[in-house]
Structures are given as C-alpha cells and as structure tokens.
C-alpha cells in the first residue's frame, strides 16, 4: 500500500526542524544543502514506496562504505565525478573558454609529495617483472600556443597488477613508485620514464563493487595515466590519458575516457641509453594545452581530502 506524506505539514515541519533551517545559527550554506538532500530522500521514499528494510539496507551500506574508505571510489563509479566535469565543461563554454587539453576525473588515488625534478623523471622505483618500459613525454603550451616554462606536470598510475603505490594492498610498492613531478624548462617539455600500467579494478570485496554487482555493472577501468598540470599563469589541469588499444577504453566504470585523451602508443628502441629496463620500449607523446585564468584567477582548483607522503 502506497501512501503520500511528503507534502504534509508534519513532514515539512520535520524537515525544517531536523535541518534547523529557520535558525540564524550554524552554517547557512550547509543547512541549505542538507535540507535539500534530506528532502529529496524523503520524497524518493514516498515516490518509490521505499520500505523500512530497504532504508536500513542503505544505511548499513553507508557504514560499510565508510569502513572500506571507498566513498570517493563510489563517487567515480556512479558518475558523480564525471558529472562535476560535465558542469565545469559547460561553465567554461558559457564564459567562452574553448580548447585546451580536456579535463577528466582525478579519482581517489593521488598522493601529494612526489619528488619534483627538472624536465625528466624516472619514476619506476620498484621492480615489476611483468611491466615493460614506457616513456611519456610532451610539451606544455599556453592559450597562445607558446611553450610554458615552469609548469609542474605530475603523473601517477598503476603497476602491472593494477595497484597504485601507497594504496597497494600487497605492500609491494614504495610510496612514490610510479608517481612523479617534473618542472618544465623554457622549451615547455616534460618526460617520465616509467613502466606500462594495466587497468584497475575496484577491490572485489569492497562496498563499491558490492553496489555495482547489484546493478550488474563491472568495476574496471582501462589502463590509464593521471595528470595534474599547474602553472602560475594558466589554470590547473586535471586529466588522464588511456592506453590505446585497451578493450575497456569505451567501457570505463568511472566514465573518464574522452576522444582527445587516447594518444598513440609507438614502439621505439634506444631504451638502454635512457636507463630503461629494456632497449625496446613504448613511447607516448602527450602534449598538454593549458587554459587561461578567469579574471586573473584559477577557478579549477578543487579542494578535497588527498593522501600525502614524504619522499
Ligand atoms: Fe587511476
């Protein structure tokens, strides 16, 4: 039997009391958001006739999500992080910012504090017998097409098991394995010498995978490399590229793939002279075009809790 109580005076007063919305005390913006989200939840319970059993299943799920530390992973998997990108793309379009390397999601596995080097950094610290050498390089340019000196390019990616250092449940990697930061010189160039990553899968017994199983979705990403690119005179770029040829490129559980973020993978020789583990290596050129500040400000800085470590 379905009942409708959301619009009643009793429920509307309950919502206002529960969120203290009529008081001048507390954080007004926070109260506004909680009032709206709680109201949307109440309304959904009414509209869908969500049962008490279902509500408690959801609440217990939130406890597991927190215990597993996977709220940010779920945000990626449910497209919330992609949605924020869609909104930022639309916001850029509305103020006439076009072009530049496309943004895509940060994901939850960045670690601040990677050693900063000039121009080139070799970031494979730990041995990984299953991964072949990879060189990632490119030029950072500004909105005027000129090379950007002094830009900081940070990258991070998984190893051949799909695990990120610092978060690796096997404990096989040191904190900054496959993570690096390079400052560009006058030529705007950066280069990372590293190992080829493979795709990432959600922890199989974690809360994210549990939810995905219920809705018959997989929790896998294609092989990819994350980037932050910062510069004093342009906006910060948060992006990734996918490794060309990965079968999941257009089936990414986190919806991060974009047309312009699938650079060609070339095969080269001469790796020994570069200090790589084999002479034949994969080479990816990924040029980065930054976008202008907005009224002198970088409106792309996203504040969120991030891991950090000391190299
Ligand atoms: Fe990732």
């Amino acid at each position: 039997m379905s009942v409708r109580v959301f619009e009643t005076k009793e429920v509307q007063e309950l919502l206002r009391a529960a969120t203290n919305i009529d008081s001048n005390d507390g954080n007004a913006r926070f109260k506004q958001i909680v009032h709206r989200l709680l109201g949307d939840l109440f309304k959904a319970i009414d509209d869908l006739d969500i049962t008490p059993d279902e509500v408690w299943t959801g609440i217990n799920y939130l406890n597991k999500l927190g215990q597993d530390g996977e709220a940010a992973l779920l945000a990626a998997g449910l497209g919330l992080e992609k949605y924020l990108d869609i909104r930022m793309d639309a916001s850029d379009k509305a103020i006439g910012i076009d072009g530049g390397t496309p943004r895509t999601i940060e994901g939850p596995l960045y670690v601040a504090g990677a050693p900063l080097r000039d121009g080139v950094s070799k970031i494979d610290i730990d041995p990984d017998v299953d991964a072949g050498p990879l060189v990632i390089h490119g030029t950072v340019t500004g909105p005027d097409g000129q090379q950007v000196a002094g830009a900081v390019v940070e990258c991070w990616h998984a190893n051949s098991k799909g695990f990120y250092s610092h978060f690796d449940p096997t404990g096989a990697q040191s904190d900054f394995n496959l993570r690096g930061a390079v400052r560009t010189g006058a030529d705007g160039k950066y280069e990372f010498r590293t190992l080829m990553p493979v795709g990432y899968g959600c922890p199989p017994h974690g809360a994210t995978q549990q939810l995905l199983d219920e809705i018959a979705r997989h929790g896998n990403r294609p092989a990819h490399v994350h980037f932050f690119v910062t510069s004093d005179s342009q906006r910060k770029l948060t992006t990734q590229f996918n490794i060309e040829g990965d079968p999941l490129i257009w089936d990414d559980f986190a919806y991060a793939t974009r047309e312009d973020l699938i650079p060609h993978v070339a095969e080269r020789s001469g790796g020994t002279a570069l200090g790589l583990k084999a002479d034949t290596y994969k080479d990816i050129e990924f040029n980065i075009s930054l976008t202008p500040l907005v009224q002198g400000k970088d409106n792309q800085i996203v504040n969120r809790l991030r891991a950090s470590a000391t190299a």
Side-chain angles (χ1 to χ4, degrees), residues 106-109 156-158 164 200 221-222 224-226 240:
E106 175 180 331
L109 301 173
W156 66 102
H157 65 79
Y164 284 77
Y200 169 88
R221 302 206 57 207
H224 60 277
V225 176
H226 296 261
Q240 308 175 25

Side-chain angles (χ1 to χ4, degrees), residues 61-83:
Y61 177 79
L62 291 178
N63 273 335
K64 176 169 169 56
L65 185 66
Q67 282 163 1
D68 294 349
E70 288 192 5
L73 184 63
L74 185 68
L78 287 183
L80 177 59
E81 202 170 358
K82 172 67 176 179
Y83 181 63

